[in-house]
Amino acid sequence: MAAADPTTRTGRAPARMRVESLFRYPVKSMLGESVDRLFVDERGAEGDRRLALLDAATGHVASAKQARLWRGLLQCTARGEAGGVSIALPDGTLVAADDPQADELLSRLLG
């Protein structure tokens, strides 16, 4: 059986693409990090948006799409590190996502 001609379905040759840069965002709605490599599977990019903040009062996931409530998230930077995620706050404070102090620090920032 012969291989199908890639131009047959669309009538055009396949587009040539080149990846210029890769970014991942370990915590939803926080700034992310540039990475040299990224494994992608059916769940998406490894380590990308696997964590999110949960508003304990409403049970909703915090999202910068609701800027009035969560714009402060865009002032934080999340980075994937060996075995976890660290969060850099606007004042330079660095906290591990699983550190018990993270809730208090983020609550103070976000109100």
Side-chain angles (χ1 to χ4, degrees):
M1 177 183 293
D5 180 350
T7 62
T8 305
R9 248 173 53 212
T10 63
R12 294 181 276 157
R16 298 188 103 178
M17 294 189 289
R18 186 173 122 196
V19 174
E20 292 284 330
S21 59
L22 295 170
F23 287 85
R24 75 172 163 205
Y25 302 85
V27 179
K28 178 179 173 42
S29 294
M30 287 187 184
L31 300 177
E33 61 187 333
S34 174
V35 293
D36 295 328
R37 299 180 203 147
L38 199 54
F39 176 78
V40 179
D41 63 13
E42 63 276 354
R43 292 180 359 141
E46 183 177 49
D48 188 62
R49 294 175 185 95
R50 300 292 165 97
L51 299 177
L53 273 65
L54 184 66
D55 183 338
T58 66
H60 295 146
V61 172
S63 173
K65 290 178 184 175
Q66 297 171 321
R68 183 179 57 77
L69 297 172
W70 304 111
R71 75 175 53 110
L73 288 174
L74 294 173
Q75 298 173 16
C76 300
T77 302
R79 299 194 186 291
E81 297 181 345
V85 172
S86 67
I87 299 170
L89 302 179
D91 67 0
T93 301
L94 192 64
V95 63
D98 60 355
D99 185 316
Q101 287 188 318
D103 286 351
E104 176 61 30
L105 291 169
L106 289 166
S107 293
R108 236 184 289 148
L109 172 70
L110 300 168

